[in-house]
Every structure is written in structure tokens, then in C-alpha cells.
């Protein structure tokens, strides 16, 4: 075990997998979706073997149906089906490593194919976006160079200067122009904004927990080898939580637009509100009795 394994952020073996695919003369798989898939699998609740996630039907469904749409916003030119392709490549690699028998390989291959198609559809659903994903779509729709941090900040500052109704209209405009599907018949209003904020908070906390769980899992392996706890994990738990929160923001940026989640949290929180219990209760109190139930 390498001390690098104790880092909070996953150190995926995407390069090894791509090298193996090239040796097998397989059709290439995009590197970015592959890294994302490996990272999310490692941060899930499944087991790891020699640096590779253990693949099961539950793990594939959990990744493609429940987790991917919380964090990932592909660039317009990217193929959303690439995430399913990445899972199938991993399935075949694990079969070659004798981690899977032929029957399980066939079943997981089929599941990854149709779950990957489902995931591509989920990535278009406006009712499932988080703030980083939504603003990534807006940045792409407005032609902002998302590799230019200054350009991203300047666009956010301009958008923050608009009134609330104008900003909501900007969200609405993503539907007829084809960037997102219609959220529901109510469109973009206070309830939708509330749900996006809640989804964002929940997704980030879930990722933070996965990062801490990964670190403790690797620490247990370290202790089993008779090696002492490293200084990074021997300090105050609050510092560990803070470090996990920082890494989570960076990872979500890798999966949407680099630096965007941090900008939304630290510089433009008014653009991406995450309501607490008080705000949620106040909103529900305004609804008719039958709507609040």
C-alpha cells in the first residue's frame, strides 16, 4: 500500500485501463468519463480489489442510475453514452483478470448498456440538476470558454447582476433551445429553486462522506499492515471534514466546469442557494394544505 492511497481524492487507474484496452485493440473509450466512472465507483459503498472496484449489478445501477446525474455535466460535444462504455470496458478488464466469470460478464455488460442509456436521459432532466450542473449548462449555452476561470467568474458576476425573474427566465430558456428537458408543468419557480438547492447540498454531503469513508477504509488496511496512523488523519476531526468538503468541491468541478462549484459556494452563493430547515419550512407554510402534504 502506497501512502498516496491515503489522499482524500481517488487516484484512479484509468491510464492502466486505457493501456490495457489499446493492447487488446479495443475501440477507444474517452478518458474523462472513464476517470469519472472509476472515481465514483471507488467512492461508493462497494469493495475494492487491488485498486479496482468490485463490479456487481447493484454497483452498476447505483452508479449510472443514482449517482451520475448528481455530479456530471458533459460538455456539449461529449457523448453521454461514454459512461456506459466506460463501465463495459471495466467489466471486460475484470473478466480478463478473472474477477468475473463469463455469465456475470455477459449480465453486467447488458446492464451497463441499458443503464448507460438511462443515464444519458437522466442527464437531460431539468428536475434532476444540481447548481453546478445547471450553471455548467448555462455557461455552455452562452458560449463561455469554460477552460478560462476569469471568463467563468465574469459571466457569473454578470448573471448575479440580473433580477431574480431574469435569472429564472434564463433557466427557462434552456428548455426551448434544447439544452434541457422541461422540468414539469410548473416550470422554474421558488419550489424548483428550493429542490435544486436541496439536491446540491445532499449530493455534496454524500460525496464528502464517500471521501472520508475511502480514507478510513485505506487507513484500516494500513493498520492491518502494522503501520502507524499518518499525521493527516490523527488530528482534529473537524479539520478532516473541512478537507473532505474542499476536495468534494474540486471533484465536482472536474465533472462539470473546473472551479465552478467553489465559485458558487464562496463568491456567488446568491446564485446557488442551499436552503436550511427554516427556509424549507417557510416555503411549505406558504403552500395550500393539499400541496404541502
Amino acid at each position: 500500500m502506497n501512502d498516496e492511497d491515503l489522499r482524500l481524492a481517488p487516484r484512479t487507474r484509468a491510464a492502466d485501463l486505457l493501456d490495457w484496452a489499446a493492447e487488446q485493440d479495443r475501440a477507444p473509450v474517452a478518458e474523462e468519463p472513464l476517470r469519472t466512472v472509476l472515481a465514483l465507483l471507488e467512492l461508493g459503498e462497494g469493495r475494492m480489489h487491488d485498486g479496482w472496484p468490485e463490479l456487481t449489478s447493484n454497483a452498476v445501477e447505483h452508479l449510472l442510475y443514482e449517482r451520475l446525474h448528481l455530479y456530471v455535466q458533459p460538455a456539449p460535444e461529449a457523448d453521454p453514452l461514454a459512461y456506459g462504455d466506460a463501465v463495459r470496458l471495466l467489466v471486460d478488464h475484470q473478466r480478463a483478470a478473472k474477477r468475473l466469470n463469463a455469465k456475470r460478464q455477459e449480465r453486467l455488460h447488458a446492464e451497463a448498456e441499458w443503464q448507460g442509456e438511462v443515464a444519458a436521459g437522466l442527464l437531460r432532466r431539468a428536475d434532476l440538476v444540481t447548481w453546478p450542473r445547471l450553471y455548467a449548462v448555462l455557461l455552455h449555452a452562452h458560449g463561455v470558454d469554460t477552460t478560462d476561470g476569469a471568463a467563468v467568474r465574469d459571466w457569473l458576476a454578470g448573471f448575479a447582476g440580473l433580477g431574480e425573474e431574469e435569472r429564472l427566465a434564463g433557466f427557462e430558456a434552456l428548455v426551448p433551445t434544447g439544452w434541457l428537458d422541461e422540468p414539469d408543468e410548473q416550470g422554474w419557480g421558488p419550489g424548483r429553486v428550493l429542490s435544486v438547492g436541496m439536491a446540491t447540498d445532499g449530493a455534496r454531503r454524500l460525496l464528502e462522506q464517500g471521501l472520508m469513508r475511502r480514507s478510513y477504509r485505506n487507513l484500516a488496511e494500513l493498520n492491518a499492515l502494522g503501520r502507524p496512523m499518518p499525521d493527516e488523519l490523527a488530528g482534529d476531526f473537524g479539520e478532516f471534514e473541512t478537507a473532505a468538503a474542499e476536495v468534494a468541491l474540486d471533484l465536482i468541478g472536474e465533472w462539470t466546469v473546473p472551479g465552478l462549484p467553489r465559485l458558487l459556494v464562496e463568491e456567488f452563493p446568491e446564485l446557488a442557494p442551499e436552503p436550511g430547515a427554516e427556509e424549507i419550512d417557510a416555503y411549505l407554510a406558504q403552500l395550500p394544505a393539499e400541496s404541502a402534504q
Side-chain angles (χ1 to χ4, degrees):
M1 181 176 181
N2 191 298
D3 287 342
E4 283 291 302
D5 291 327
L6 292 169
R7 297 187 315 170
L8 276 164
R11 187 185 55 167
T12 70
R13 299 183 64 181
D16 294 341
L17 193 50
L18 289 172
D19 288 344
W20 176 83
E23 293 170 0
Q24 302 297 313
D25 292 326
R26 292 179 56 100
V29 172
E31 181 174 357
E32 187 172 337
L34 181 59
R35 290 189 183 280
T36 302
V37 161
L38 289 172
L40 285 173
L41 283 170
E42 184 170 352
L43 294 174
E45 297 179 2
R47 296 193 299 174
M48 300 287 293
H49 292 288
D50 298 328
W52 300 103
E54 182 179 280
L55 288 172
T56 64
S57 295
N58 286 340
V60 171
E61 180 179 8
H62 191 62
L63 167 71
L64 295 174
Y65 185 70
E66 299 180 21
R67 289 292 177 92
L68 197 69
H69 69 265
L70 294 177
Y71 304 110
V72 171
Q73 187 56 55
E77 67 276 8
D79 181 5
L81 295 176
Y83 299 96
D85 294 340
V87 174
R88 292 199 298 276
L89 175 61
L90 181 58
V91 168
D92 291 346
H93 176 267
Q94 292 300 279
R95 166 59 179 161
K98 303 188 186 309
R99 294 286 188 188
L100 302 171
N101 60 35
K103 185 176 181 179
R104 286 185 63 198
Q105 177 193 25
E106 183 179 0
R107 184 178 71 248
L108 289 173
H109 229 279
E111 291 173 353
E113 183 171 5
W114 74 266
Q115 290 279 7
E117 293 174 356
V118 170
L122 296 179
L123 291 173
R124 289 191 52 82
R125 284 179 50 177
D127 62 326
L128 295 179
V129 295
T130 57
W131 288 125
R133 288 193 54 223
L134 180 59
Y135 280 100
V137 174
L138 278 169
L139 289 164
H140 290 308
H142 287 264
V144 179
D145 181 0
T146 55
T147 65
D148 185 339
V152 170
R153 179 182 282 105
D154 288 346
W155 187 90
L156 290 174
F159 198 68
L162 301 177
E164 182 180 4
E165 290 188 2
E166 291 177 285
R167 294 202 297 267
L168 292 177
F171 301 153
E172 291 274 11
L174 294 171
V175 176
T177 53
W179 289 90
L180 288 176
D181 295 334
E182 184 73 42
D184 55 35
E185 65 277 2
Q186 297 179 357
W188 283 93
R192 178 60 54 204
V193 169
L194 192 76
S195 69
V196 175
M198 292 170 62
T200 301
D201 177 71
R204 192 173 62 246
R205 291 180 186 276
L206 191 64
L207 186 59
E208 292 168 9
Q209 292 168 8
L211 288 163
M212 290 189 287
R213 185 171 56 246
R214 172 188 182 273
S215 188
Y216 282 126
R217 181 176 62 215
N218 289 340
L219 177 61
E221 182 180 342
L222 190 72
N223 289 339
L225 295 174
R227 296 170 60 186
M229 177 182 291
D231 293 339
E232 292 83 354
L233 297 180
D236 182 75
F237 182 73
E239 295 178 358
F240 186 38
E241 285 187 309
T242 299
E246 294 288 322
V247 173
L249 286 176
D250 291 338
L251 279 175
I252 298 171
E254 290 180 19
W255 301 331
T256 53
V257 170
L260 173 62
R262 188 175 296 280
L263 285 171
L264 292 174
V265 168
E266 297 178 354
E267 298 187 32
F268 301 99
E270 72 279 11
L271 293 183
E274 297 180 21
E278 185 175 333
E279 292 88 349
I280 295 171
D281 289 343
Y283 172 76
L284 293 176
Q286 300 173 10
L287 298 179
E290 62 273 14
S291 300
Q293 294 176 352

